[in-house]
Amino acid sequence: MIRRFALALLLFGAIAAPAQAARHRPAPAAARGIVVRVEHRAVVLRALDGSTQRVVVPPRSTVLLNGHAVALRALRPGDIVLVVRRRGRGAAMEIRAFSP
């Protein structure tokens, strides 16, 4: 199970790498992890090192689950996610999720 998860996370990271930012903007930062819970306008992730982090998700952010656009509330605990953020630890621009 852990081997399958690790493989899925590696594959997901390779496929879902964040796009390059324009020259005048810093490159978007990314966070990867497993959904712990979904809040009204935020998602709480658990990283592979066991740390947790809350990511604010503005209404105009794109949320994809298995390649399909969905509402934030469609994410479930246990989903594997990549969060692309505009500046370092800022709000999410895009969330790409994979449901195992």
Side-chain angles (χ1 to χ4, degrees), residues 18-37:
Q20 285 286 352
R23 262 187 18 214
H24 61 282
R25 294 184 192 160
R32 291 181 178 89
I34 301 168
V35 175
V36 174
R37 71 179 174 273

Side-chain angles (χ1 to χ4, degrees), residues 9-29:
L9 195 59
L10 284 172
L11 181 61
F12 183 73
I15 293 172
Q20 285 286 352
R23 262 187 18 214
H24 61 282
R25 294 184 192 160

Side-chain angles (χ1 to χ4, degrees), residues 1 12-13 34 53 63 80 87:
M1 177 73 175
F12 183 73
I34 301 168
Q53 105 185 88
V63 180
I80 302 166
R87 289 177 292 270

